Amino acid sequence: MSSTNRSVAIIGAGQTGISAAVGFLNAGFDVTVYSDRDQAGLFRDVSATGTAVTFGLSQESEAALGVDTFAGRAPQVTGISARTITGSGHDYTELLDFDADFPGFEAIGVDTRLKVDERITQFQDKGGTFLVEEVDPDRLDTIAGQHDLTLVATGKGGLSTLFSVDEARSPYKSPQRSVLLLTVEGLDHGPDVFAHRSAAGGKHQAFNFADQGEGWWGPYLHKDAGPSWSFLGWAQPGSEWERRFQSVTDAHSAHKVVIDLHREYFDWDLPEVLRTRVIAEDPHSWLQGAVTPTVRNALGHTASGHRITALGDTAVAYDPITGQGAQSGFIQAAGLVAAAKDHQGEFDDVWITETYNKFLTSRVDAANLATRIFLRDPVFADYASVLFPAAATNPKFGAALFGLLSDPSPVLSINSVDDAKSLITAVAGEDADSILAKFAPVGRFSRSELDALASAI
Ligand SMILES: Cc1cc2nc3c(=O)[nH]c(=O)nc-3n(C[C@H](O)[C@H](O)[C@H](O)COP(=O)(O)OP(=O)(O)OC[C@H]3O[C@@H](n4cnc5c(N)ncnc54)[C@H](O)[C@@H]3O)c2cc1C
């Protein structure tokens, strides 16, 4: 069957919904997007739904959908430096410190509001229909009856409860972290920035792991400020960090929490953080909340029995520690477009289920396992206790560990500590036990000399 005259409805113009819409349009479908906000409101009146950094493979999915990945337009990001401490306040031990280039890809961090804005324009310019209305279950019933394929991409909340939870793939019943996001300006991406952590300076993201949670800085392209930095903090449930995060009410209070966190826990990075400024033009440059990681069944039915399909965060919501959500949305969308284009006949229960199962087994299962390892879930603590020291000791494995952010599939081979060691040995080309025998806690991290460098200029 030709794609001509086959119709797709997409509910929700977040980055996943609108990118899928462009992809279906390019594949020859008639596409209508239903959005609860108009284009200006999506750009101006909401926060970005996450940092939404893409790492490698997901950029290929964006390209397959026919949307711009922003490569060359956003600050260049070539790797990550990671540091781990244990202890609290100023009384901590500095354990791991390593810096790795991403293996064969660069990361791209772009404001989801900017991506959405560009893609709505692209979609309409190409002849797509963009309707502003909040779709409720009754209206969804009508829409689904009028289209060959109806995709629900309304995010984690929205209409997601119309899809049942895949309990076997959703082991958590509550969030594993409270999350704080803040985008700031004032700090550039030159070689002096974070130079104490990496020779790549401001081209590497900076990750800190502590007992109460984690903190991360990444180069970013903000919709108003342009090249900027995004901070993400994760706090363990019930921790003192969580109380701090939950006290945030605006960008300024978020900024104060971020500065205090670095003053008290990550002071090696403090000079960089003190250079940052709140973005005055954007009252929505911050986000505070928590995600219960959830995998839903993608096939649902409306009251009259019409089929609907979950897409993006509506289908799978991840804790953001391994940056999988936005990436997963693009990969799912590209897979759906490719499968729909080639499909002859109705998009029936079998087609929806088979297409989704392929996505689950090729991406979601690995992405969730990698996320649980990075969350230091006690179930997988034994794996983390060999993977991270090995990464700190062997640069090749360090790069491979962060390669999981692009392609998490290697973790599916890990079912025991011995499997984790086999992966280390295979990647590093050296026996894992001999690598781990060389590991020694750092003792004391190098501190930022950004202010000293600046005053010497
Ligand atoms: C703090 C944080 C950091 C993150 N970092 C990363 C990262 O580095 N990398 C990564 O890949 N992922 C990351 N993520 C995840 C990523 O941001 C999300 O997966 C992604 O933005 C979700 O996009 P979406 O389009 O599926 O949903 P959303 O962005 O939530 O879009 C849903 C859209 O539907 C609309 N809508 C809702 N209800 C209705 C309705 N009834 N009718 C019509 N429209 C409706 C909403 O207004 C919205 O526009 C992060 C998430 C968080 C919270």
Side-chain angles (χ1 to χ4, degrees), residues 11-17 34-37 42 49-55 112 133-136 153-156 158-159 179-181 216 232 287 291 311-314 318 320 322-328:
I11 321 299
Q15 57 123 47
T16 314
Y34 299 81
S35 168
D36 59 352
R37 289 177 185 271
L42 288 167
T49 42
T51 323
V53 177
T54 57
F55 301 84
T112 53
E133 64 172 289
E134 181 164 353
V135 174
D136 64 15
T154 53
K156 293 183 281 291
L159 298 167
V179 186
L180 176 65
L181 178 160
W216 171 95
L232 275 179
L287 188 69
V291 183
L311 172 65
D313 274 16
T314 305
Y318 298 88
T322 47
Q324 294 300 308
Q327 302 200 87
S328 187

Side-chain angles (χ1 to χ4, degrees), residues 2-201:
S2 133
S3 295
T4 315
N5 296 330
R6 290 198 290 173
S7 63
V8 179
I10 298 179
I11 321 299
Q15 57 123 47
T16 314
I18 196 63
S19 306
V22 173
F24 275 105
L25 207 55
N26 286 337
F29 290 79
D30 289 336
V31 187
T32 305
V33 170
Y34 299 81
S35 168
D36 59 352
R37 289 177 185 271
D38 65 11
Q39 185 172 3
L42 288 167
F43 189 70
R44 199 189 47 217
D45 300 336
V46 294
S47 299
T49 42
T51 323
V53 177
T54 57
F55 301 84
L57 273 188
S58 56
Q59 295 156 13
E60 292 173 21
S61 293
E62 284 185 287
L65 290 167
V67 294
D68 187 5
T69 62
F70 282 76
R73 295 169 64 194
Q76 202 184 8
V77 192
T78 57
I80 297 193
S81 89
R83 291 181 164 188
T84 303
I85 58 171
T86 185
S88 62
H90 284 288
D91 184 20
Y92 52 70
T93 307
E94 298 174 7
L95 290 177
L96 297 179
D97 181 5
F98 67 102
D99 176 56
D101 282 335
F102 294 128
F105 61 88
E106 293 187 359
I108 303 177
V110 175
D111 200 321
T112 53
R113 296 166 297 182
L114 184 57
K115 282 193 169 175
V116 165
D117 188 58
E118 278 201 11
R119 292 173 190 182
I120 291 175
T121 301
Q122 181 183 1
F123 174 68
Q124 290 185 294
D125 286 351
K126 280 178 176 277
T129 305
F130 184 82
L131 300 178
V132 179
E133 64 172 289
E134 181 164 353
V135 174
D136 64 15
D138 284 345
R139 178 74 178 120
L140 184 62
D141 191 34
T142 307
I143 293 169
Q146 293 168 339
H147 293 83
D148 294 305
L149 184 62
T150 298
L151 304 172
V152 180
T154 53
K156 293 183 281 291
L159 298 167
S160 65
T161 50
L162 296 175
F163 302 91
S164 59
V165 173
D166 180 338
E167 299 291 347
R169 288 187 161 93
S170 306
Y172 301 120
K173 299 302 162 223
S174 60
Q176 298 304 291
R177 296 286 190 275
S178 278
V179 186
L180 176 65
L181 178 160
L182 176 68
T183 302
V184 289
E185 58 185 343
L187 184 67
D188 64 34
H189 302 89
D192 297 343
V193 171
F194 291 120
H196 57 293
R197 305 181 55 128
S198 170

Side-chain angles (χ1 to χ4, degrees), residues 220-243:
Y220 192 70
L221 187 70
H222 181 270
K223 70 182 178 75
D224 304 317
S228 47
W229 284 86
S230 199
F231 170 80
L232 275 179
W234 292 262
Q236 296 268 8
S239 65
E240 198 260 325
W241 287 18
E242 182 177 61
R243 282 191 291 283

